[in-house]
Amino acid sequence: MRFRIRNHVYFTPLFYYALGAIVFSLAMGQFGEMFFQFGLIALGLFILLIVIEALLLFVKHKSNFEAQRITDERFSNGDENLVKLTFTNNFPFPVTINVIDELPLQFQKRDFNIRAYLKVGETKNMSYHLRPTERGEYWFGALNVFIKSPLRLVERRIQFNLKQYVKVYPAFKEMRQFEMMAISNRLTEVGIKKIRRIGHQMEFDQIREYTKGDDYRTINWKATARRSSLMVNQYQDEKSQQVISIIDLGRTMKMPFEGMTLLDYAINASLVLSKIAMLKQDKAGLITFNNKVRTVVPPQRNSKQMQVIMEALYNQTTRFEEQSIQALYTSIRRNIHQRSLLVIYTNYESLSAAKRQLPMLQKLANDHMVVIVFFENTELKQLTDAKASDMEGIYVKTIAEKFAYDKKRIVLELERYGIHSVLTAPENLTVETINKYLELKARGYI
Protein backbone atom coordinates (compact mmCIF):
# COMPACT_ATOMS: atom_id res chain seq x y z
CA MET A 1 0.00 0.00 0.00
CA ARG A 2 2.89 2.37 0.80
CA PHE A 3 4.43 1.69 -2.59
CA ARG A 4 1.13 2.41 -4.29
CA ILE A 5 0.65 5.72 -2.47
CA ARG A 6 4.24 6.79 -3.08
CA ASN A 7 3.83 6.30 -6.82
CA HIS A 8 0.29 7.60 -7.24
CA VAL A 9 0.00 10.64 -4.94
CA TYR A 10 1.68 13.93 -5.81
CA PHE A 11 1.45 17.34 -4.22
CA THR A 12 0.73 20.38 -6.36
CA PRO A 13 2.54 23.76 -6.16
CA LEU A 14 -0.55 25.14 -4.39
CA PHE A 15 0.02 22.58 -1.61
CA TYR A 16 3.54 23.89 -0.95
CA TYR A 17 2.48 27.53 -1.16
CA ALA A 18 -0.28 26.94 1.41
CA LEU A 19 2.02 24.92 3.67
CA GLY A 20 4.67 27.63 3.50
CA ALA A 21 2.13 30.29 4.45
CA ILE A 22 1.02 28.20 7.46
CA VAL A 23 4.61 27.65 8.63
CA PHE A 24 5.28 31.38 8.26
CA SER A 25 2.17 32.19 10.32
CA LEU A 26 3.21 29.77 13.10
CA ALA A 27 6.74 31.21 13.10
CA MET A 28 5.31 34.71 13.48
CA GLY A 29 3.53 33.46 16.60
CA GLN A 30 6.55 34.49 18.69
CA PHE A 31 5.67 38.10 17.92
CA GLY A 32 1.96 37.77 18.55
CA GLU A 33 -0.48 35.16 19.82
CA MET A 34 -2.93 36.04 17.06
CA PHE A 35 -0.55 34.78 14.34
CA PHE A 36 -0.03 31.50 16.17
CA GLN A 37 -3.76 30.90 16.63
CA PHE A 38 -4.41 31.75 12.98
CA GLY A 39 -1.67 29.28 11.94
CA LEU A 40 -3.19 26.48 14.01
CA ILE A 41 -6.66 27.04 12.54
CA ALA A 42 -5.20 27.17 9.02
CA LEU A 43 -3.21 23.96 9.64
CA GLY A 44 -6.32 22.13 10.80
CA LEU A 45 -8.30 23.36 7.82
CA PHE A 46 -5.39 22.47 5.51
CA ILE A 47 -5.25 18.87 6.82
CA LEU A 48 -9.03 18.55 6.50
CA LEU A 49 -8.95 19.70 2.87
CA ILE A 50 -6.18 17.23 2.06
CA VAL A 51 -8.16 14.36 3.60
CA ILE A 52 -11.31 15.42 1.70
CA GLU A 53 -9.43 15.65 -1.62
CA ALA A 54 -7.69 12.32 -1.06
CA LEU A 55 -11.06 10.69 -0.43
CA LEU A 56 -12.50 12.30 -3.55
CA LEU A 57 -9.62 11.11 -5.72
CA PHE A 58 -9.00 7.67 -4.25
CA VAL A 59 -12.43 6.40 -3.18
CA LYS A 60 -13.09 3.58 -5.61
CA HIS A 61 -15.93 4.18 -8.02
CA LYS A 62 -16.91 1.83 -10.81
CA SER A 63 -14.49 3.42 -13.23
CA ASN A 64 -13.25 6.83 -12.15
CA PHE A 65 -11.38 7.71 -15.30
CA GLU A 66 -10.86 6.16 -18.73
CA ALA A 67 -8.15 6.81 -21.30
CA GLN A 68 -7.31 5.41 -24.70
CA ARG A 69 -4.53 5.93 -27.24
CA ILE A 70 -5.31 5.35 -30.94
CA THR A 71 -2.54 5.13 -33.54
CA ASP A 72 -2.16 3.69 -37.00
CA GLU A 73 -0.43 0.33 -37.28
CA ARG A 74 2.17 1.94 -39.53
CA PHE A 75 3.87 5.31 -39.43
CA SER A 76 5.20 7.07 -42.52
CA ASN A 77 8.87 7.98 -42.26
CA GLY A 78 9.59 11.68 -42.56
CA ASP A 79 5.89 12.63 -42.40
CA GLU A 80 3.65 13.91 -39.62
CA ASN A 81 1.68 11.00 -38.14
CA LEU A 82 -1.44 11.50 -36.04
CA VAL A 83 -1.83 10.03 -32.54
CA LYS A 84 -5.27 10.37 -30.91
CA LEU A 85 -6.02 10.38 -27.18
CA THR A 86 -9.50 9.92 -25.69
CA PHE A 87 -10.35 10.68 -22.04
CA THR A 88 -13.60 10.16 -20.11
CA ASN A 89 -14.22 11.69 -16.68
CA ASN A 90 -16.40 9.44 -14.49
CA PHE A 91 -15.61 11.27 -11.24
CA PRO A 92 -18.61 13.03 -9.58
CA PHE A 93 -16.77 16.36 -9.97
CA PRO A 94 -14.89 18.19 -12.74
CA VAL A 95 -11.18 17.45 -12.99
CA THR A 96 -8.06 19.02 -14.44
CA ILE A 97 -5.67 16.56 -16.05
CA ASN A 98 -2.03 16.64 -17.03
CA VAL A 99 -1.12 13.93 -19.56
CA ILE A 100 2.36 12.52 -20.08
CA ASP A 101 2.60 9.89 -22.81
CA GLU A 102 5.66 7.62 -22.84
CA LEU A 103 6.80 8.13 -26.42
CA PRO A 104 9.19 5.79 -28.27
CA LEU A 105 12.87 6.30 -27.43
CA GLN A 106 13.70 7.28 -31.01
CA PHE A 107 11.98 10.65 -30.59
CA GLN A 108 14.01 11.63 -27.49
CA LYS A 109 11.15 13.93 -26.49
CA ARG A 110 11.37 14.81 -22.80
CA ASP A 111 8.91 17.68 -22.60
CA PHE A 112 5.68 16.01 -23.72
CA ASN A 113 2.79 17.46 -21.77
CA ILE A 114 -0.93 17.94 -22.50
CA ARG A 115 -3.32 19.73 -20.14
CA ALA A 116 -7.12 19.64 -20.25
CA TYR A 117 -10.24 20.32 -18.19
CA LEU A 118 -13.08 17.76 -18.14
CA LYS A 119 -16.55 18.30 -16.77
CA VAL A 120 -18.50 15.56 -15.01
CA GLY A 121 -19.17 12.71 -17.46
CA GLU A 122 -17.38 14.52 -20.31
CA THR A 123 -15.41 12.69 -22.99
CA LYS A 124 -12.67 14.72 -24.64
CA ASN A 125 -10.60 13.86 -27.72
CA MET A 126 -7.10 15.27 -28.12
CA SER A 127 -4.31 14.56 -30.57
CA TYR A 128 -0.69 15.25 -31.40
CA HIS A 129 1.67 14.50 -34.28
CA LEU A 130 4.94 12.59 -34.44
CA ARG A 131 7.53 12.77 -37.24
CA PRO A 132 9.83 9.73 -37.25
CA THR A 133 13.17 10.10 -39.02
CA GLU A 134 14.23 6.46 -39.24
CA ARG A 135 12.54 3.22 -40.17
CA GLY A 136 11.98 0.36 -37.74
CA GLU A 137 9.88 -0.61 -34.72
CA TYR A 138 8.75 2.12 -32.34
CA TRP A 139 7.47 1.18 -28.87
CA PHE A 140 4.99 3.31 -26.94
CA GLY A 141 4.95 2.93 -23.17
CA ALA A 142 2.27 3.66 -20.59
CA LEU A 143 -0.07 6.66 -20.64
CA ASN A 144 0.24 8.66 -17.41
CA VAL A 145 -2.67 10.90 -16.38
CA PHE A 146 -2.30 13.23 -13.37
CA ILE A 147 -5.75 14.19 -12.04
CA LYS A 148 -6.61 17.14 -9.82
CA SER A 149 -9.95 17.89 -8.15
CA PRO A 150 -11.27 21.48 -7.84
CA LEU A 151 -9.32 21.80 -4.54
CA ARG A 152 -6.01 21.42 -6.46
CA LEU A 153 -3.89 20.48 -3.44
CA VAL A 154 -3.25 16.83 -4.30
CA GLU A 155 -3.13 15.08 -7.65
CA ARG A 156 -3.49 11.42 -8.39
CA ARG A 157 -1.56 9.61 -11.08
CA ILE A 158 -3.39 6.90 -12.98
CA GLN A 159 -1.13 4.86 -15.23
CA PHE A 160 -2.81 3.16 -18.18
CA ASN A 161 -0.93 0.18 -19.54
CA LEU A 162 -1.26 1.01 -23.24
CA LYS A 163 2.05 -0.40 -24.39
CA GLN A 164 2.11 -0.95 -28.14
CA TYR A 165 4.47 -0.74 -31.08
CA VAL A 166 4.12 0.61 -34.57
CA LYS A 167 6.26 -0.01 -37.62
CA VAL A 168 7.72 2.97 -39.42
CA TYR A 169 7.72 2.37 -43.17
CA PRO A 170 9.10 4.51 -46.01
CA ALA A 171 7.03 7.62 -46.75
CA PHE A 172 3.81 6.00 -47.98
CA LYS A 173 1.85 9.16 -47.09
CA GLU A 174 3.96 11.14 -49.53
CA MET A 175 3.42 8.38 -52.08
CA ARG A 176 -0.37 8.61 -51.66
CA GLN A 177 -0.21 12.39 -51.98
CA PHE A 178 1.61 12.15 -55.31
CA GLU A 179 -0.72 9.35 -56.40
CA MET A 180 -3.83 11.45 -55.79
CA MET A 181 -2.31 14.43 -57.57
CA ALA A 182 -1.30 12.28 -60.53
CA ILE A 183 -4.82 10.88 -60.82
CA SER A 184 -6.35 14.36 -60.70
CA ASN A 185 -3.67 15.90 -62.97
CA ARG A 186 -2.48 18.29 -60.24
CA LEU A 187 1.18 17.29 -60.07
CA THR A 188 2.23 20.80 -61.06
CA GLU A 189 1.12 21.95 -57.60
CA VAL A 190 4.08 20.16 -56.00
CA GLY A 191 6.63 21.25 -58.61
CA ILE A 192 6.24 18.56 -61.29
CA LYS A 193 6.87 20.21 -64.64
CA LYS A 194 4.80 19.74 -67.76
CA ILE A 195 7.15 18.38 -70.43
CA ARG A 196 6.46 19.19 -74.07
CA ARG A 197 6.37 15.99 -76.06
CA ILE A 198 8.62 15.69 -79.07
CA GLY A 199 7.13 13.80 -82.00
CA HIS A 200 4.74 10.88 -81.43
CA GLN A 201 6.80 8.23 -79.70
CA MET A 202 3.53 7.02 -78.17
CA GLU A 203 0.92 4.34 -78.72
CA PHE A 204 -2.35 5.10 -80.51
CA ASP A 205 -5.28 5.17 -78.07
CA GLN A 206 -8.51 6.35 -79.79
CA ILE A 207 -10.15 8.84 -82.16
CA ARG A 208 -12.11 11.64 -80.49
CA GLU A 209 -13.59 15.03 -81.30
CA TYR A 210 -11.28 18.01 -81.56
CA THR A 211 -11.12 20.29 -78.55
CA LYS A 212 -9.48 23.68 -78.29
CA GLY A 213 -5.74 23.34 -77.74
CA ASP A 214 -5.26 20.01 -79.56
CA ASP A 215 -2.32 19.74 -81.94
CA TYR A 216 -3.50 20.28 -85.52
CA ARG A 217 -1.06 17.60 -86.65
CA THR A 218 -3.16 14.95 -84.89
CA ILE A 219 -6.27 15.63 -87.00
CA ASN A 220 -7.62 12.46 -88.59
CA TRP A 221 -8.95 13.73 -91.96
CA LYS A 222 -10.71 10.51 -92.94
CA ALA A 223 -12.66 10.39 -89.67
CA THR A 224 -13.34 14.12 -90.01
CA ALA A 225 -14.86 13.57 -93.48
CA ARG A 226 -17.07 10.75 -92.21
CA ARG A 227 -18.35 12.66 -89.15
CA SER A 228 -18.43 16.15 -90.76
CA SER A 229 -16.63 17.51 -87.67
CA LEU A 230 -13.00 17.74 -86.71
CA MET A 231 -11.68 14.46 -85.26
CA VAL A 232 -8.21 13.90 -83.83
CA ASN A 233 -6.08 10.90 -82.98
CA GLN A 234 -5.37 10.53 -79.27
CA TYR A 235 -2.13 8.93 -78.17
CA GLN A 236 -0.93 7.60 -74.87
CA ASP A 237 2.48 6.92 -73.44
CA GLU A 238 4.10 3.64 -74.35
CA LYS A 239 3.33 1.07 -71.70
CA SER A 240 5.21 -1.73 -69.95
CA GLN A 241 8.55 0.06 -69.80
CA GLN A 242 10.74 -1.10 -66.91
CA VAL A 243 11.69 1.48 -64.27
CA ILE A 244 14.13 0.13 -61.67
CA SER A 245 15.17 2.10 -58.60
CA ILE A 246 18.73 1.21 -57.53
CA ILE A 247 19.71 2.37 -54.04
CA ASP A 248 23.29 2.61 -52.82
CA LEU A 249 23.61 1.35 -49.23
CA GLY A 250 27.24 2.45 -48.93
CA ARG A 251 28.74 4.69 -46.27
CA THR A 252 28.22 7.92 -48.27
CA MET A 253 24.44 7.50 -47.88
CA LYS A 254 24.71 7.70 -44.09
CA MET A 255 25.15 11.49 -44.23
CA PRO A 256 22.35 13.22 -42.26
CA PHE A 257 20.09 16.04 -43.42
CA GLU A 258 17.35 17.50 -41.19
CA GLY A 259 17.23 14.42 -38.99
CA MET A 260 17.08 11.87 -41.82
CA THR A 261 19.90 10.15 -43.68
CA LEU A 262 20.38 10.46 -47.43
CA LEU A 263 19.44 6.78 -47.60
CA ASP A 264 15.99 7.53 -46.16
CA TYR A 265 15.46 10.34 -48.66
CA ALA A 266 16.43 7.97 -51.47
CA ILE A 267 14.09 5.26 -50.17
CA ASN A 268 11.17 7.69 -49.94
CA ALA A 269 11.81 9.02 -53.45
CA SER A 270 12.13 5.54 -54.95
CA LEU A 271 8.82 4.52 -53.41
CA VAL A 272 7.02 7.52 -54.94
CA LEU A 273 8.75 7.02 -58.30
CA SER A 274 7.69 3.36 -58.37
CA LYS A 275 4.07 4.34 -57.76
CA ILE A 276 4.10 7.07 -60.43
CA ALA A 277 5.68 4.65 -62.91
CA MET A 278 2.95 2.09 -62.29
CA LEU A 279 0.30 4.78 -62.74
CA LYS A 280 1.94 5.46 -66.10
CA GLN A 281 1.43 1.75 -66.91
CA ASP A 282 5.14 0.96 -66.53
CA LYS A 283 6.71 -1.83 -64.49
CA ALA A 284 8.53 -0.92 -61.26
CA GLY A 285 11.42 -2.80 -59.70
CA LEU A 286 14.05 -2.36 -57.00
CA ILE A 287 17.71 -3.21 -56.40
CA THR A 288 19.79 -2.32 -53.32
CA PHE A 289 23.55 -2.83 -53.09
CA ASN A 290 26.75 -1.91 -51.32
CA ASN A 291 29.80 -4.22 -51.56
CA LYS A 292 27.37 -6.75 -53.06
CA VAL A 293 23.76 -6.79 -54.21
CA ARG A 294 21.44 -7.09 -51.20
CA THR A 295 17.91 -7.01 -52.61
CA VAL A 296 16.39 -7.60 -56.04
CA VAL A 297 12.69 -7.05 -56.70
CA PRO A 298 11.99 -7.90 -60.37
CA PRO A 299 9.99 -5.21 -62.23
CA GLN A 300 6.28 -5.95 -62.27
CA ARG A 301 3.00 -4.07 -62.53
CA ASN A 302 0.36 -5.75 -60.41
CA SER A 303 -1.69 -4.93 -57.33
CA LYS A 304 0.84 -6.46 -54.93
CA GLN A 305 4.03 -4.93 -56.34
CA MET A 306 3.97 -1.76 -54.24
CA GLN A 307 3.57 -3.77 -51.03
CA VAL A 308 6.49 -6.00 -52.07
CA ILE A 309 8.67 -2.94 -52.72
CA MET A 310 7.64 -1.32 -49.43
CA GLU A 311 8.45 -4.44 -47.42
CA ALA A 312 11.80 -4.70 -49.20
CA LEU A 313 12.65 -1.08 -48.36
CA TYR A 314 11.53 -1.35 -44.72
CA ASN A 315 14.71 -3.03 -43.41
CA GLN A 316 17.35 -1.44 -45.65
CA THR A 317 20.28 0.02 -43.71
CA THR A 318 23.73 1.35 -44.52
CA ARG A 319 26.64 -0.88 -43.52
CA PHE A 320 29.45 1.67 -43.91
CA GLU A 321 30.94 -0.34 -46.76
CA GLU A 322 32.22 0.89 -50.11
CA GLN A 323 29.74 0.27 -52.93
CA SER A 324 30.68 -2.14 -55.71
CA ILE A 325 29.48 -1.07 -59.16
CA GLN A 326 31.00 -4.27 -60.53
CA ALA A 327 28.66 -6.39 -58.39
CA LEU A 328 25.71 -4.23 -59.47
CA TYR A 329 26.62 -4.57 -63.16
CA THR A 330 26.90 -8.36 -62.85
CA SER A 331 23.51 -8.62 -61.14
CA ILE A 332 21.80 -6.43 -63.75
CA ARG A 333 23.31 -8.44 -66.63
CA ARG A 334 22.02 -11.62 -64.97
CA ASN A 335 18.52 -10.46 -64.00
CA ILE A 336 17.47 -7.57 -66.29
CA HIS A 337 17.24 -8.58 -69.95
CA GLN A 338 14.93 -5.85 -71.29
CA ARG A 339 16.16 -2.30 -71.86
CA SER A 340 15.12 -0.39 -68.74
CA LEU A 341 15.38 2.93 -67.00
CA LEU A 342 17.87 2.53 -64.14
CA VAL A 343 17.61 5.28 -61.54
CA ILE A 344 20.67 4.96 -59.30
CA TYR A 345 20.52 6.84 -55.98
CA THR A 346 24.02 7.44 -54.68
CA ASN A 347 26.26 10.28 -53.52
CA TYR A 348 29.59 11.64 -54.76
CA GLU A 349 31.65 14.06 -52.72
CA SER A 350 34.58 14.26 -55.15
CA LEU A 351 35.19 14.04 -58.88
CA SER A 352 37.74 11.26 -58.41
CA ALA A 353 35.13 9.07 -56.67
CA ALA A 354 32.78 9.48 -59.63
CA LYS A 355 35.52 8.76 -62.19
CA ARG A 356 36.32 5.43 -60.52
CA GLN A 357 32.80 4.25 -61.30
CA LEU A 358 32.47 5.70 -64.80
CA PRO A 359 33.74 2.64 -66.76
CA MET A 360 31.10 0.33 -65.28
CA LEU A 361 28.38 2.97 -65.51
CA GLN A 362 29.20 3.41 -69.18
CA LYS A 363 28.77 -0.34 -69.72
CA LEU A 364 25.36 -0.14 -68.04
CA ALA A 365 24.45 2.84 -70.25
CA ASN A 366 25.17 0.78 -73.36
CA ASP A 367 22.27 -1.56 -72.53
CA HIS A 368 19.96 0.63 -70.45
CA MET A 369 18.96 4.23 -69.83
CA VAL A 370 20.94 5.23 -66.72
CA VAL A 371 20.13 8.18 -64.47
CA ILE A 372 22.47 8.97 -61.57
CA VAL A 373 20.74 10.81 -58.71
CA PHE A 374 23.10 12.39 -56.19
CA PHE A 375 22.93 15.17 -53.63
CA GLU A 376 23.99 18.75 -53.22
CA ASN A 377 25.80 19.51 -50.00
CA THR A 378 23.49 22.19 -48.61
CA GLU A 379 25.90 23.00 -45.77
CA LEU A 380 28.53 23.90 -48.35
CA LYS A 381 26.01 26.09 -50.15
CA GLN A 382 25.54 28.11 -46.99
CA LEU A 383 29.31 28.56 -46.74
CA THR A 384 29.66 29.65 -50.37
CA ASP A 385 26.82 32.18 -49.99
CA ALA A 386 28.24 33.64 -46.78
CA LYS A 387 30.58 36.64 -46.84
CA ALA A 388 34.14 36.08 -45.68
CA SER A 389 35.25 38.61 -43.05
CA ASP A 390 38.77 37.33 -42.33
CA MET A 391 41.53 35.20 -43.81
CA GLU A 392 40.19 31.98 -42.28
CA GLY A 393 36.76 32.73 -43.72
CA ILE A 394 38.30 33.21 -47.17
CA TYR A 395 40.02 29.81 -46.96
CA VAL A 396 36.80 28.08 -45.83
CA LYS A 397 34.77 29.79 -48.56
CA THR A 398 37.32 28.85 -51.23
CA ILE A 399 37.36 25.17 -50.22
CA ALA A 400 33.56 25.09 -50.10
CA GLU A 401 33.35 26.59 -53.59
CA LYS A 402 35.80 23.97 -54.87
CA PHE A 403 33.63 21.12 -53.54
CA ALA A 404 30.50 22.72 -55.02
CA TYR A 405 32.28 23.14 -58.35
CA ASP A 406 33.33 19.47 -58.29
CA LYS A 407 29.64 18.49 -58.03
CA LYS A 408 28.89 20.41 -61.23
CA ARG A 409 31.90 18.85 -62.95
CA ILE A 410 30.55 15.40 -62.05
CA VAL A 411 27.31 16.25 -63.89
CA LEU A 412 29.28 17.29 -66.99
CA GLU A 413 31.47 14.19 -66.81
CA LEU A 414 28.45 11.90 -66.63
CA GLU A 415 26.83 13.63 -69.61
CA ARG A 416 30.04 13.19 -71.58
CA TYR A 417 29.65 9.43 -71.16
CA GLY A 418 25.96 9.52 -72.16
CA ILE A 419 24.66 9.15 -68.60
CA HIS A 420 21.81 11.35 -67.37
CA SER A 421 22.07 12.87 -63.90
CA VAL A 422 20.04 14.68 -61.26
CA LEU A 423 21.92 16.88 -58.77
CA THR A 424 19.48 18.00 -56.11
CA ALA A 425 19.06 19.03 -52.50
CA PRO A 426 17.61 16.22 -50.34
CA GLU A 427 14.30 18.00 -49.73
CA ASN A 428 13.73 18.32 -53.51
CA LEU A 429 14.76 14.77 -54.34
CA THR A 430 11.32 13.28 -54.99
CA VAL A 431 10.11 16.10 -57.24
CA GLU A 432 13.36 16.30 -59.24
CA THR A 433 13.47 12.52 -59.77
CA ILE A 434 9.87 12.38 -61.00
CA ASN A 435 10.53 15.35 -63.30
CA LYS A 436 13.47 13.50 -64.84
CA TYR A 437 11.42 10.33 -65.33
CA LEU A 438 8.57 12.21 -67.01
CA GLU A 439 11.04 14.12 -69.19
CA LEU A 440 12.73 10.95 -70.44
CA LYS A 441 9.37 9.33 -71.06
CA ALA A 442 7.98 12.35 -72.91
CA ARG A 443 11.04 12.51 -75.15
CA GLY A 444 10.76 8.84 -76.02
CA TYR A 445 14.09 7.82 -74.49
CA ILE A 446 12.48 4.84 -72.75
Side-chain angles (χ1 to χ4, degrees):
M1 184 65 178
R2 288 179 182 176
F3 179 81
R4 181 176 183 274
I5 291 177
R6 187 168 64 248
N7 286 275
H8 291 267
V9 177
Y10 295 84
F11 298 116
T12 68
L14 181 60
F15 171 90
Y16 293 104
Y17 293 147
L19 185 60
I22 292 171
V23 171
F24 178 77
S25 179
L26 291 173
M28 291 295 291
Q30 61 180 326
F31 301 106
E33 183 68 20
M34 179 183 64
F35 291 107
F36 185 75
Q37 294 298 328
F38 176 78
L40 288 177
I41 295 172
L43 179 61
L45 180 62
F46 181 69
I47 294 173
L48 178 62
L49 290 176
I50 291 175
V51 172
I52 292 173
E53 187 167 23
L55 290 174
L56 289 174
L57 290 173
F58 286 91
V59 167
K60 195 68 175 177
H61 298 285
K62 183 177 181 181
S63 179
N64 290 334
F65 199 86
E66 298 176 10
Q68 187 178 11
R69 183 202 300 124
I70 303 172
T71 65
D72 295 329
E73 294 181 357
R74 302 184 302 178
F75 277 3
S76 178
N77 192 27
D79 295 322
E80 296 290 343
N81 298 270
L82 180 66
V83 179
K84 297 180 181 179
L85 300 175
T86 302
F87 303 103
T88 302
N89 176 26
N90 295 323
F91 282 100
F93 50 85
V95 297
T96 302
I97 63 171
N98 183 21
V99 182
I100 299 178
D101 199 356
E102 296 180 3
L103 303 181
L105 294 174
Q106 289 91 333
F107 293 108
Q108 291 296 304
K109 192 174 180 65
R110 308 297 185 187
D111 57 349
F112 182 92
N113 192 4
I114 296 178
R115 298 179 183 274
Y117 177 81
L118 280 77
K119 299 177 182 178
V120 178
E122 180 183 4
T123 297
K124 181 166 288 189
N125 297 316
M126 293 183 286
S127 64
Y128 60 92
H129 291 83
L130 294 174
R131 180 181 179 268
T133 56
E134 58 184 81
R135 289 160 287 111
E137 292 184 351
Y138 284 56
W139 283 89
F140 284 86
L143 184 65
N144 300 276
V145 182
F146 294 82
I147 303 173
K148 287 184 287 188
S149 75
L151 296 176
R152 296 175 178 269
L153 292 173
V154 178
E155 62 181 357
R156 173 187 176 185
R157 184 184 75 162
I158 301 180
Q159 190 174 61
F160 296 91
N161 186 17
L162 300 177
K163 294 181 180 179
Q164 65 182 115
Y165 82 96
V166 296
K167 290 185 176 181
V168 176
Y169 279 83
F172 57 85
K173 286 189 176 181
E174 183 183 31
M175 178 192 70
R176 290 172 184 168
Q177 176 190 3
F178 277 88
E179 178 184 2
M180 294 303 296
M181 289 187 170
I183 293 172
S184 56
N185 293 318
R186 294 189 295 115
L187 283 174
T188 53
E189 296 179 11
V190 290
I192 304 301
K193 302 174 184 176
K194 287 187 176 181
I195 308 298
R196 187 174 66 87
R197 302 185 182 279
I198 298 178
H200 288 298
Q201 299 95 348
M202 296 177 288
E203 297 178 347
F204 175 79
D205 185 22
Q206 63 177 344
I207 300 174
R208 60 172 175 80
E209 290 188 2
Y210 173 84
T211 57
K212 186 177 180 180
D214 286 336
D215 190 345
Y216 292 117
R217 293 173 296 178
T218 63
I219 294 177
N220 188 317
W221 295 107
K222 292 183 178 179
T224 297
R226 288 196 300 268
R227 297 288 298 273
S228 298
S229 62
L230 282 176
M231 305 294 292
V232 295
N233 294 331
Q234 179 173 302
Y235 298 89
Q236 62 182 3
D237 294 332
E238 293 185 12
K239 301 178 181 180
S240 299
Q241 305 296 317
Q242 294 191 158
V243 180
I244 302 173
S245 298
I246 302 175
I247 301 177
D248 176 10
L249 302 179
R251 56 183 176 82
T252 59
M253 298 294 283
K254 190 66 176 177
M255 186 179 297
F257 178 81
E258 293 187 355
M260 292 173 57
T261 63
L262 297 183
L263 174 62
D264 284 311
Y265 281 101
I267 285 174
N268 292 347
S270 65
L271 188 68
V272 176
L273 177 63
S274 298
K275 186 62 180 182
I276 295 296
M278 293 178 66
L279 289 174
K280 292 288 185 180
Q281 308 299 316
D282 286 336
K283 300 177 181 178
L286 172 72
I287 297 176
T288 64
F289 76 104
N290 44 24
N291 61 333
K292 62 180 181 180
V293 174
R294 299 289 178 175
T295 306
V296 177
V297 177
Q300 297 287 339
R301 188 176 65 84
N302 54 50
S303 58
K304 298 181 180 179
Q305 183 70 355
M306 284 310 303
Q307 185 62 35
V308 172
I309 292 176
M310 189 178 295
E311 291 293 339
L313 290 172
Y314 171 70
N315 290 320
Q316 300 297 329
T317 58
T318 57
R319 294 178 172 84
F320 301 99
E321 297 159 336
E322 192 71 23
Q323 65 269 46
S324 173
I325 296 296
Q326 176 67 52
L328 175 64
Y329 173 75
T330 303
S331 177
I332 291 175
R333 284 293 301 269
R334 184 185 303 119
N335 297 297
I336 310 298
H337 305 294
Q338 176 183 334
R339 180 174 173 80
S340 308
L341 172 61
L342 307 181
V343 182
I344 303 177
Y345 299 88
T346 186
N347 194 36
Y348 300 122
E349 288 299 329
S350 66
L351 182 60
S352 59
K355 284 185 174 180
R356 286 197 299 268
Q357 297 184 3
L358 276 174
M360 298 309 300
L361 291 175
Q362 189 178 19
K363 287 185 178 181
L364 282 175
N366 291 335
D367 301 323
H368 304 277
M369 176 62 61
V370 178
V371 176
I372 302 295
V373 181
F374 63 111
F375 300 89
E376 292 178 356
N377 193 324
T378 52
E379 297 293 333
L380 288 180
K381 192 174 187 304
Q382 294 176 6
L383 291 175
T384 56
D385 292 341
K387 291 184 179 180
S389 57
D390 53 19
M391 188 61 68
E392 181 182 356
I394 293 174
Y395 287 146
V396 171
K397 185 177 175 69
T398 302
I399 294 172
E401 288 177 348
K402 179 185 180 302
F403 278 108
Y405 178 66
D406 279 351
K407 293 273 188 177
K408 296 177 182 178
R409 288 183 62 193
I410 292 171
V411 173
L412 296 175
E413 194 70 17
L414 290 170
E415 290 178 353
R416 193 163 70 87
Y417 282 83
I419 301 169
H420 296 267
S421 63
V422 176
L423 175 60
T424 179
E427 70 267 24
N428 301 327
L429 175 63
T430 301
V431 171
E432 295 294 339
T433 305
I434 294 174
N435 277 332
K436 193 66 176 180
Y437 161 69
L438 296 177
E439 176 190 347
L440 295 175
K441 194 168 182 65
R443 302 192 187 287
Y445 292 157
I446 57 172

